[in-house]
Amino acid sequence: MTPENAISVSGQSSIRGCMESEAASGEAIIIAPRRHPWRWIGGAVAVFLMWRIVNSMIYNENFGWDIVAEYLFSPVVLSGLGLTIWLTVVAMTLGIILGLVLAVMALSSNPMLRYPADVYLWLFRGTPVLVQLIFWYNLAALYPVIQLGLPFGDVLAEYSTNALITPYTAALLGLSLNEAAYMAEITRAGIASIDYGQEEAAKSLGMSRVKTLRRIILPQALRVIIPPTGNQVIGMLKMTSLVSVISLYDLLYSVQGVSARTFQVIPMLIVACAWYLLMTSILSIGQKYIEKLCARDAL
């Protein structure tokens, strides 16, 4: 027995002896809870500050709550909201699919597959999304015409870059290609978390690498991949606001158009924030539910 344990045991014995002696003498033992005065003081200060903030927001006319109520469900704002949701869904879908392909390439033993994947991740993770969006939007400055044909052969078809790279196309290219780089790292980490012995066991049974990946590795890796993917979806929803710089009529661009006409900048920004907060809250609830399912399946 260590000296610390001996002190603990002797202390418990003395306390037990005192309690037995007091019980034998007929005196009541009063156990008083520990007081936390600073906890109550801190809570009171926090409540007071929150009350002051909410009170200032309600009674400050500069917030323009009547303007917020007028435009919160206006067709212009709802149209921009619909485009924001559409961009989030399509860009995330393309990003997840391309990210899976890049993750498999990055984990490949073939350098002809691994090196291009590494360069892709280095390029798209190392440059800001806003720069990528502007680059794709101005691609015609580099390539006025996009030609399709056989190598060292005749041109089969050619298209004007301005006609192909519309603001919608530029937004999808910028958002989905950037997201693919991050989803590739998330997928790679999920695949790497699976014990290599399972892949060796699948090889001993004669299973191909693609079949092993599809039936054994990926189903188990989903427990690691899904939770951070939820964070990426929420991030993508907010990242779509960047497409307003290329004149795409998303939620932010729609409220900016209204504020330019009415000069009500703050109320219209509150309208945009209200919809972003609502959508991110819904996605957060769904993410927590999916994480609970993954945690339960892992037991």
Side-chain angles (χ1 to χ4, degrees), residues 192-225:
S193 66
I194 307 303
D195 185 58
Y196 184 71
Q198 300 195 35
E199 185 175 351
E200 291 182 334
K203 288 181 180 179
S204 66
L205 294 175
M207 298 178 66
S208 64
R209 181 174 177 81
V210 176
K211 193 173 183 179
T212 302
L213 185 67
R214 181 169 55 89
R215 290 193 174 184
I216 296 177
I217 305 299
L218 281 181
Q220 299 180 75
L222 286 177
R223 293 197 298 267
V224 180
I225 295 173

PDB file of all heavy atoms in Angstrom, residues 192-225:
ATOM      1  N   ALA A 192      -8.312   4.765 -44.185  1.00  0.00           N
ATOM      2  CA  ALA A 192      -7.082   4.419 -43.465  1.00  0.00           C
ATOM      3  C   ALA A 192      -7.361   3.968 -42.039  1.00  0.00           C
ATOM      4  O   ALA A 192      -6.509   3.300 -41.426  1.00  0.00           O
ATOM      5  CB  ALA A 192      -6.141   5.618 -43.446  1.00  0.00           C
ATOM      6  N   SER A 193      -8.526   4.301 -41.482  1.00  0.00           N
ATOM      7  CA  SER A 193      -8.838   3.888 -40.113  1.00  0.00           C
ATOM      8  C   SER A 193      -9.196   2.413 -40.000  1.00  0.00           C
ATOM      9  O   SER A 193      -9.229   1.865 -38.900  1.00  0.00           O
ATOM     10  CB  SER A 193     -10.004   4.729 -39.575  1.00  0.00           C
ATOM     11  OG  SER A 193     -11.204   4.459 -40.299  1.00  0.00           O
ATOM     12  N   ILE A 194      -9.468   1.759 -41.119  1.00  0.00           N
ATOM     13  CA  ILE A 194      -9.811   0.335 -41.114  1.00  0.00           C
ATOM     14  C   ILE A 194      -8.531  -0.489 -41.073  1.00  0.00           C
ATOM     15  O   ILE A 194      -7.573  -0.208 -41.810  1.00  0.00           O
ATOM     16  CB  ILE A 194     -10.657  -0.031 -42.353  1.00  0.00           C
ATOM     17  CG1 ILE A 194     -11.877   0.897 -42.455  1.00  0.00           C
ATOM     18  CG2 ILE A 194     -11.102  -1.477 -42.285  1.00  0.00           C
ATOM     19  CD1 ILE A 194     -12.762   0.880 -41.244  1.00  0.00           C
ATOM     20  N   ASP A 195      -8.524  -1.491 -40.223  1.00  0.00           N
ATOM     21  CA  ASP A 195      -7.333  -2.325 -40.056  1.00  0.00           C
ATOM     22  C   ASP A 195      -6.970  -3.007 -41.373  1.00  0.00           C
ATOM     23  O   ASP A 195      -7.822  -3.534 -42.082  1.00  0.00           O
ATOM     24  CB  ASP A 195      -7.586  -3.377 -38.970  1.00  0.00           C
ATOM     25  CG  ASP A 195      -6.332  -4.179 -38.686  1.00  0.00           C
ATOM     26  OD1 ASP A 195      -5.309  -3.584 -38.314  1.00  0.00           O
ATOM     27  OD2 ASP A 195      -6.384  -5.418 -38.838  1.00  0.00           O
ATOM     28  N   TYR A 196      -5.675  -2.972 -41.699  1.00  0.00           N
ATOM     29  CA  TYR A 196      -5.214  -3.552 -42.952  1.00  0.00           C
ATOM     30  C   TYR A 196      -5.415  -5.060 -43.000  1.00  0.00           C
ATOM     31  O   TYR A 196      -5.489  -5.652 -44.069  1.00  0.00           O
ATOM     32  CB  TYR A 196      -3.735  -3.213 -43.168  1.00  0.00           C
ATOM     33  CG  TYR A 196      -3.183  -3.690 -44.487  1.00  0.00           C
ATOM     34  CD1 TYR A 196      -3.563  -3.084 -45.675  1.00  0.00           C
ATOM     35  CD2 TYR A 196      -2.288  -4.761 -44.539  1.00  0.00           C
ATOM     36  CE1 TYR A 196      -3.067  -3.530 -46.895  1.00  0.00           C
ATOM     37  CE2 TYR A 196      -1.787  -5.213 -45.754  1.00  0.00           C
ATOM     38  CZ  TYR A 196      -2.170  -4.594 -46.926  1.00  0.00           C
ATOM     39  OH  TYR A 196      -1.684  -5.035 -48.133  1.00  0.00           O
ATOM     40  N   GLY A 197      -5.538  -5.688 -41.833  1.00  0.00           N
ATOM     41  CA  GLY A 197      -5.750  -7.134 -41.809  1.00  0.00           C
ATOM     42  C   GLY A 197      -7.030  -7.552 -42.504  1.00  0.00           C
ATOM     43  O   GLY A 197      -7.111  -8.671 -43.046  1.00  0.00           O
ATOM     44  N   GLN A 198      -8.037  -6.692 -42.489  1.00  0.00           N
ATOM     45  CA  GLN A 198      -9.289  -7.043 -43.166  1.00  0.00           C
ATOM     46  C   GLN A 198      -9.100  -7.086 -44.681  1.00  0.00           C
ATOM     47  O   GLN A 198      -9.683  -7.933 -45.365  1.00  0.00           O
ATOM     48  CB  GLN A 198     -10.372  -6.035 -42.795  1.00  0.00           C
ATOM     49  CG  GLN A 198     -10.667  -5.984 -41.304  1.00  0.00           C
ATOM     50  CD  GLN A 198     -11.956  -5.273 -41.004  1.00  0.00           C
ATOM     51  OE1 GLN A 198     -12.917  -5.353 -41.758  1.00  0.00           O
ATOM     52  NE2 GLN A 198     -11.989  -4.564 -39.884  1.00  0.00           N
ATOM     53  N   GLU A 199      -8.288  -6.186 -45.205  1.00  0.00           N
ATOM     54  CA  GLU A 199      -7.997  -6.223 -46.633  1.00  0.00           C
ATOM     55  C   GLU A 199      -7.184  -7.463 -46.990  1.00  0.00           C
ATOM     56  O   GLU A 199      -7.412  -8.087 -48.045  1.00  0.00           O
ATOM     57  CB  GLU A 199      -7.246  -4.950 -47.037  1.00  0.00           C
ATOM     58  CG  GLU A 199      -7.006  -4.837 -48.529  1.00  0.00           C
ATOM     59  CD  GLU A 199      -6.366  -3.512 -48.906  1.00  0.00           C
ATOM     60  OE1 GLU A 199      -6.268  -2.633 -48.036  1.00  0.00           O
ATOM     61  OE2 GLU A 199      -5.962  -3.388 -50.091  1.00  0.00           O
ATOM     62  N   GLU A 200      -6.261  -7.837 -46.130  1.00  0.00           N
ATOM     63  CA  GLU A 200      -5.484  -9.057 -46.387  1.00  0.00           C
ATOM     64  C   GLU A 200      -6.372 -10.290 -46.347  1.00  0.00           C
ATOM     65  O   GLU A 200      -6.204 -11.224 -47.144  1.00  0.00           O
ATOM     66  CB  GLU A 200      -4.366  -9.171 -45.358  1.00  0.00           C
ATOM     67  CG  GLU A 200      -3.271  -8.123 -45.508  1.00  0.00           C
ATOM     68  CD  GLU A 200      -2.172  -8.308 -44.483  1.00  0.00           C
ATOM     69  OE1 GLU A 200      -2.467  -8.877 -43.403  1.00  0.00           O
ATOM     70  OE2 GLU A 200      -1.026  -7.896 -44.754  1.00  0.00           O
ATOM     71  N   ALA A 201      -7.331 -10.299 -45.409  1.00  0.00           N
ATOM     72  CA  ALA A 201      -8.252 -11.434 -45.342  1.00  0.00           C
ATOM     73  C   ALA A 201      -9.106 -11.511 -46.601  1.00  0.00           C
ATOM     74  O   ALA A 201      -9.387 -12.612 -47.109  1.00  0.00           O
ATOM     75  CB  ALA A 201      -9.138 -11.303 -44.102  1.00  0.00           C
ATOM     76  N   ALA A 202      -9.534 -10.349 -47.122  1.00  0.00           N
ATOM     77  CA  ALA A 202     -10.321 -10.348 -48.352  1.00  0.00           C
ATOM     78  C   ALA A 202      -9.485 -10.842 -49.538  1.00  0.00           C
ATOM     79  O   ALA A 202      -9.984 -11.570 -50.407  1.00  0.00           O
ATOM     80  CB  ALA A 202     -10.852  -8.938 -48.619  1.00  0.00           C
ATOM     81  N   LYS A 203      -8.209 -10.479 -49.571  1.00  0.00           N
ATOM     82  CA  LYS A 203      -7.336 -10.971 -50.640  1.00  0.00           C
ATOM     83  C   LYS A 203      -7.166 -12.477 -50.563  1.00  0.00           C
ATOM     84  O   LYS A 203      -7.122 -13.169 -51.591  1.00  0.00           O
ATOM     85  CB  LYS A 203      -5.966 -10.287 -50.552  1.00  0.00           C
ATOM     86  CG  LYS A 203      -5.968  -8.820 -50.959  1.00  0.00           C
ATOM     87  CD  LYS A 203      -4.555  -8.245 -50.861  1.00  0.00           C
ATOM     88  CE  LYS A 203      -4.533  -6.780 -51.267  1.00  0.00           C
ATOM     89  NZ  LYS A 203      -3.157  -6.197 -51.154  1.00  0.00           N
ATOM     90  N   SER A 204      -7.065 -13.002 -49.345  1.00  0.00           N
ATOM     91  CA  SER A 204      -6.909 -14.456 -49.195  1.00  0.00           C
ATOM     92  C   SER A 204      -8.142 -15.211 -49.659  1.00  0.00           C
ATOM     93  O   SER A 204      -8.048 -16.383 -50.023  1.00  0.00           O
ATOM     94  CB  SER A 204      -6.611 -14.793 -47.731  1.00  0.00           C
ATOM     95  OG  SER A 204      -7.719 -14.474 -46.905  1.00  0.00           O
ATOM     96  N   LEU A 205      -9.310 -14.519 -49.644  1.00  0.00           N
ATOM     97  CA  LEU A 205     -10.536 -15.148 -50.127  1.00  0.00           C
ATOM     98  C   LEU A 205     -10.738 -14.959 -51.623  1.00  0.00           C
ATOM     99  O   LEU A 205     -11.745 -15.415 -52.181  1.00  0.00           O
ATOM    100  CB  LEU A 205     -11.750 -14.561 -49.385  1.00  0.00           C
ATOM    101  CG  LEU A 205     -11.820 -14.863 -47.889  1.00  0.00           C
ATOM    102  CD1 LEU A 205     -13.005 -14.129 -47.260  1.00  0.00           C
ATOM    103  CD2 LEU A 205     -11.942 -16.354 -47.645  1.00  0.00           C
ATOM    104  N   GLY A 206      -9.801 -14.294 -52.276  1.00  0.00           N
ATOM    105  CA  GLY A 206      -9.875 -14.117 -53.723  1.00  0.00           C
ATOM    106  C   GLY A 206     -10.689 -12.914 -54.157  1.00  0.00           C
ATOM    107  O   GLY A 206     -11.032 -12.803 -55.346  1.00  0.00           O
ATOM    108  N   MET A 207     -10.998 -11.989 -53.258  1.00  0.00           N
ATOM    109  CA  MET A 207     -11.770 -10.810 -53.616  1.00  0.00           C
ATOM    110  C   MET A 207     -10.876  -9.770 -54.272  1.00  0.00           C
ATOM    111  O   MET A 207      -9.724  -9.585 -53.872  1.00  0.00           O
ATOM    112  CB  MET A 207     -12.441 -10.201 -52.369  1.00  0.00           C
ATOM    113  CG  MET A 207     -13.434 -11.134 -51.696  1.00  0.00           C
ATOM    114  SD  MET A 207     -14.160 -10.411 -50.188  1.00  0.00           S
ATOM    115  CE  MET A 207     -15.096  -9.059 -50.910  1.00  0.00           C
ATOM    116  N   SER A 208     -11.407  -9.112 -55.293  1.00  0.00           N
ATOM    117  CA  SER A 208     -10.646  -8.060 -55.973  1.00  0.00           C
ATOM    118  C   SER A 208     -10.578  -6.824 -55.084  1.00  0.00           C
ATOM    119  O   SER A 208     -11.311  -6.685 -54.103  1.00  0.00           O
ATOM    120  CB  SER A 208     -11.310  -7.712 -57.313  1.00  0.00           C
ATOM    121  OG  SER A 208     -12.601  -7.160 -57.092  1.00  0.00           O
ATOM    122  N   ARG A 209      -9.694  -5.878 -55.459  1.00  0.00           N
ATOM    123  CA  ARG A 209      -9.528  -4.673 -54.655  1.00  0.00           C
ATOM    124  C   ARG A 209     -10.792  -3.818 -54.682  1.00  0.00           C
ATOM    125  O   ARG A 209     -11.192  -3.256 -53.664  1.00  0.00           O
ATOM    126  CB  ARG A 209      -8.341  -3.868 -55.175  1.00  0.00           C
ATOM    127  CG  ARG A 209      -8.070  -2.600 -54.373  1.00  0.00           C
ATOM    128  CD  ARG A 209      -6.806  -1.912 -54.823  1.00  0.00           C
ATOM    129  NE  ARG A 209      -6.581  -0.666 -54.115  1.00  0.00           N
ATOM    130  CZ  ARG A 209      -6.059  -0.576 -52.904  1.00  0.00           C
ATOM    131  NH1 ARG A 209      -5.703  -1.678 -52.262  1.00  0.00           N
ATOM    132  NH2 ARG A 209      -5.884   0.608 -52.333  1.00  0.00           N
ATOM    133  N   VAL A 210     -11.433  -3.732 -55.857  1.00  0.00           N
ATOM    134  CA  VAL A 210     -12.663  -2.938 -55.955  1.00  0.00           C
ATOM    135  C   VAL A 210     -13.768  -3.560 -55.118  1.00  0.00           C
ATOM    136  O   VAL A 210     -14.503  -2.856 -54.403  1.00  0.00           O
ATOM    137  CB  VAL A 210     -13.085  -2.816 -57.436  1.00  0.00           C
ATOM    138  CG1 VAL A 210     -14.422  -2.082 -57.551  1.00  0.00           C
ATOM    139  CG2 VAL A 210     -12.009  -2.103 -58.245  1.00  0.00           C
ATOM    140  N   LYS A 211     -13.893  -4.864 -55.173  1.00  0.00           N
ATOM    141  CA  LYS A 211     -14.923  -5.546 -54.399  1.00  0.00           C
ATOM    142  C   LYS A 211     -14.641  -5.437 -52.899  1.00  0.00           C
ATOM    143  O   LYS A 211     -15.573  -5.267 -52.088  1.00  0.00           O
ATOM    144  CB  LYS A 211     -14.982  -7.019 -54.810  1.00  0.00           C
ATOM    145  CG  LYS A 211     -16.212  -7.750 -54.296  1.00  0.00           C
ATOM    146  CD  LYS A 211     -16.274  -9.148 -54.886  1.00  0.00           C
ATOM    147  CE  LYS A 211     -17.550  -9.855 -54.436  1.00  0.00           C
ATOM    148  NZ  LYS A 211     -17.639 -11.225 -55.025  1.00  0.00           N
ATOM    149  N   THR A 212     -13.387  -5.527 -52.514  1.00  0.00           N
ATOM    150  CA  THR A 212     -13.020  -5.367 -51.103  1.00  0.00           C
ATOM    151  C   THR A 212     -13.359  -3.971 -50.613  1.00  0.00           C
ATOM    152  O   THR A 212     -13.886  -3.785 -49.510  1.00  0.00           O
ATOM    153  CB  THR A 212     -11.514  -5.636 -50.918  1.00  0.00           C
ATOM    154  OG1 THR A 212     -11.213  -6.963 -51.374  1.00  0.00           O
ATOM    155  CG2 THR A 212     -11.126  -5.494 -49.465  1.00  0.00           C
ATOM    156  N   LEU A 213     -13.054  -2.983 -51.455  1.00  0.00           N
ATOM    157  CA  LEU A 213     -13.346  -1.605 -51.078  1.00  0.00           C
ATOM    158  C   LEU A 213     -14.845  -1.368 -50.962  1.00  0.00           C
ATOM    159  O   LEU A 213     -15.306  -0.705 -50.026  1.00  0.00           O
ATOM    160  CB  LEU A 213     -12.746  -0.658 -52.120  1.00  0.00           C
ATOM    161  CG  LEU A 213     -12.848   0.842 -51.836  1.00  0.00           C
ATOM    162  CD1 LEU A 213     -11.998   1.214 -50.634  1.00  0.00           C
ATOM    163  CD2 LEU A 213     -12.422   1.642 -53.057  1.00  0.00           C
ATOM    164  N   ARG A 214     -15.620  -1.937 -51.867  1.00  0.00           N
ATOM    165  CA  ARG A 214     -17.060  -1.688 -51.900  1.00  0.00           C
ATOM    166  C   ARG A 214     -17.806  -2.450 -50.819  1.00  0.00           C
ATOM    167  O   ARG A 214     -18.757  -1.917 -50.227  1.00  0.00           O
ATOM    168  CB  ARG A 214     -17.609  -2.061 -53.282  1.00  0.00           C
ATOM    169  CG  ARG A 214     -19.102  -1.824 -53.466  1.00  0.00           C
ATOM    170  CD  ARG A 214     -19.470  -1.974 -54.935  1.00  0.00           C
ATOM    171  NE  ARG A 214     -19.061  -3.250 -55.463  1.00  0.00           N
ATOM    172  CZ  ARG A 214     -19.814  -4.355 -55.432  1.00  0.00           C
ATOM    173  NH1 ARG A 214     -21.008  -4.332 -54.865  1.00  0.00           N
ATOM    174  NH2 ARG A 214     -19.373  -5.485 -55.958  1.00  0.00           N
ATOM    175  N   ARG A 215     -17.388  -3.661 -50.506  1.00  0.00           N
ATOM    176  CA  ARG A 215     -18.163  -4.497 -49.588  1.00  0.00           C
ATOM    177  C   ARG A 215     -17.623  -4.541 -48.160  1.00  0.00           C
ATOM    178  O   ARG A 215     -18.370  -4.831 -47.234  1.00  0.00           O
ATOM    179  CB  ARG A 215     -18.227  -5.931 -50.130  1.00  0.00           C
ATOM    180  CG  ARG A 215     -19.078  -6.067 -51.383  1.00  0.00           C
ATOM    181  CD  ARG A 215     -19.367  -7.521 -51.671  1.00  0.00           C
ATOM    182  NE  ARG A 215     -20.290  -7.681 -52.781  1.00  0.00           N
ATOM    183  CZ  ARG A 215     -20.779  -8.854 -53.190  1.00  0.00           C
ATOM    184  NH1 ARG A 215     -20.390  -9.976 -52.562  1.00  0.00           N
ATOM    185  NH2 ARG A 215     -21.606  -8.914 -54.203  1.00  0.00           N
ATOM    186  N   ILE A 216     -16.336  -4.270 -47.983  1.00  0.00           N
ATOM    187  CA  ILE A 216     -15.741  -4.434 -46.651  1.00  0.00           C
ATOM    188  C   ILE A 216     -15.227  -3.102 -46.094  1.00  0.00           C
ATOM    189  O   ILE A 216     -15.567  -2.716 -44.969  1.00  0.00           O
ATOM    190  CB  ILE A 216     -14.592  -5.465 -46.700  1.00  0.00           C
ATOM    191  CG1 ILE A 216     -15.153  -6.844 -47.085  1.00  0.00           C
ATOM    192  CG2 ILE A 216     -13.868  -5.531 -45.358  1.00  0.00           C
ATOM    193  CD1 ILE A 216     -14.114  -7.923 -47.226  1.00  0.00           C
ATOM    194  N   ILE A 217     -14.420  -2.391 -46.868  1.00  0.00           N
ATOM    195  CA  ILE A 217     -13.746  -1.203 -46.338  1.00  0.00           C
ATOM    196  C   ILE A 217     -14.710  -0.024 -46.190  1.00  0.00           C
ATOM    197  O   ILE A 217     -14.843   0.546 -45.100  1.00  0.00           O
ATOM    198  CB  ILE A 217     -12.555  -0.814 -47.235  1.00  0.00           C
ATOM    199  CG1 ILE A 217     -11.595  -2.005 -47.392  1.00  0.00           C
ATOM    200  CG2 ILE A 217     -11.841   0.396 -46.644  1.00  0.00           C
ATOM    201  CD1 ILE A 217     -11.003  -2.482 -46.090  1.00  0.00           C
ATOM    202  N   LEU A 218     -15.390   0.348 -47.284  1.00  0.00           N
ATOM    203  CA  LEU A 218     -16.231   1.541 -47.244  1.00  0.00           C
ATOM    204  C   LEU A 218     -17.394   1.449 -46.244  1.00  0.00           C
ATOM    205  O   LEU A 218     -17.681   2.435 -45.554  1.00  0.00           O
ATOM    206  CB  LEU A 218     -16.764   1.848 -48.646  1.00  0.00           C
ATOM    207  CG  LEU A 218     -15.783   2.546 -49.594  1.00  0.00           C
ATOM    208  CD1 LEU A 218     -16.436   2.806 -50.946  1.00  0.00           C
ATOM    209  CD2 LEU A 218     -15.289   3.842 -48.988  1.00  0.00           C
ATOM    210  N   PRO A 219     -18.112   0.313 -46.144  1.00  0.00           N
ATOM    211  CA  PRO A 219     -19.193   0.269 -45.144  1.00  0.00           C
ATOM    212  C   PRO A 219     -18.723   0.537 -43.717  1.00  0.00           C
ATOM    213  O   PRO A 219     -19.440   1.158 -42.935  1.00  0.00           O
ATOM    214  CB  PRO A 219     -19.741  -1.154 -45.295  1.00  0.00           C
ATOM    215  CG  PRO A 219     -19.428  -1.530 -46.707  1.00  0.00           C
ATOM    216  CD  PRO A 219     -18.102  -0.897 -46.985  1.00  0.00           C
ATOM    217  N   GLN A 220     -17.520   0.082 -43.384  1.00  0.00           N
ATOM    218  CA  GLN A 220     -16.989   0.355 -42.044  1.00  0.00           C
ATOM    219  C   GLN A 220     -16.431   1.771 -41.927  1.00  0.00           C
ATOM    220  O   GLN A 220     -16.526   2.400 -40.872  1.00  0.00           O
ATOM    221  CB  GLN A 220     -15.890  -0.652 -41.711  1.00  0.00           C
ATOM    222  CG  GLN A 220     -16.360  -2.101 -41.699  1.00  0.00           C
ATOM    223  CD  GLN A 220     -15.226  -3.050 -41.353  1.00  0.00           C
ATOM    224  OE1 GLN A 220     -14.808  -3.146 -40.206  1.00  0.00           O
ATOM    225  NE2 GLN A 220     -14.699  -3.737 -42.354  1.00  0.00           N
ATOM    226  N   ALA A 221     -15.865   2.275 -43.020  1.00  0.00           N
ATOM    227  CA  ALA A 221     -15.280   3.620 -42.986  1.00  0.00           C
ATOM    228  C   ALA A 221     -16.345   4.708 -42.893  1.00  0.00           C
ATOM    229  O   ALA A 221     -16.029   5.840 -42.506  1.00  0.00           O
ATOM    230  CB  ALA A 221     -14.423   3.841 -44.229  1.00  0.00           C
ATOM    231  N   LEU A 222     -17.592   4.394 -43.228  1.00  0.00           N
ATOM    232  CA  LEU A 222     -18.650   5.400 -43.182  1.00  0.00           C
ATOM    233  C   LEU A 222     -18.846   5.962 -41.780  1.00  0.00           C
ATOM    234  O   LEU A 222     -19.257   7.109 -41.623  1.00  0.00           O
ATOM    235  CB  LEU A 222     -19.962   4.802 -43.700  1.00  0.00           C
ATOM    236  CG  LEU A 222     -20.058   4.599 -45.214  1.00  0.00           C
ATOM    237  CD1 LEU A 222     -21.379   3.943 -45.579  1.00  0.00           C
ATOM    238  CD2 LEU A 222     -19.914   5.931 -45.946  1.00  0.00           C
ATOM    239  N   ARG A 223     -18.565   5.159 -40.747  1.00  0.00           N
ATOM    240  CA  ARG A 223     -18.706   5.658 -39.376  1.00  0.00           C
ATOM    241  C   ARG A 223     -17.743   6.801 -39.099  1.00  0.00           C
ATOM    242  O   ARG A 223     -18.016   7.664 -38.270  1.00  0.00           O
ATOM    243  CB  ARG A 223     -18.456   4.515 -38.384  1.00  0.00           C
ATOM    244  CG  ARG A 223     -19.500   3.423 -38.417  1.00  0.00           C
ATOM    245  CD  ARG A 223     -19.409   2.574 -37.155  1.00  0.00           C
ATOM    246  NE  ARG A 223     -18.128   1.913 -37.045  1.00  0.00           N
ATOM    247  CZ  ARG A 223     -17.868   0.690 -37.488  1.00  0.00           C
ATOM    248  NH1 ARG A 223     -18.831  -0.010 -38.074  1.00  0.00           N
ATOM    249  NH2 ARG A 223     -16.676   0.151 -37.353  1.00  0.00           N
ATOM    250  N   VAL A 224     -16.611   6.815 -39.802  1.00  0.00           N
ATOM    251  CA  VAL A 224     -15.629   7.887 -39.645  1.00  0.00           C
ATOM    252  C   VAL A 224     -15.895   9.014 -40.648  1.00  0.00           C
ATOM    253  O   VAL A 224     -15.631  10.187 -40.358  1.00  0.00           O
ATOM    254  CB  VAL A 224     -14.197   7.334 -39.825  1.00  0.00           C
ATOM    255  CG1 VAL A 224     -13.157   8.431 -39.679  1.00  0.00           C
ATOM    256  CG2 VAL A 224     -13.946   6.226 -38.821  1.00  0.00           C
ATOM    257  N   ILE A 225     -16.435   8.685 -41.805  1.00  0.00           N
ATOM    258  CA  ILE A 225     -16.605   9.667 -42.868  1.00  0.00           C
ATOM    259  C   ILE A 225     -17.830  10.546 -42.644  1.00  0.00           C
ATOM    260  O   ILE A 225     -17.791  11.759 -42.891  1.00  0.00           O
ATOM    261  CB  ILE A 225     -16.697   8.949 -44.231  1.00  0.00           C
ATOM    262  CG1 ILE A 225     -15.369   8.243 -44.546  1.00  0.00           C
ATOM    263  CG2 ILE A 225     -17.061   9.911 -45.339  1.00  0.00           C
ATOM    264  CD1 ILE A 225     -15.429   7.367 -45.778  1.00  0.00           C
TER     265      ILE A 225
END
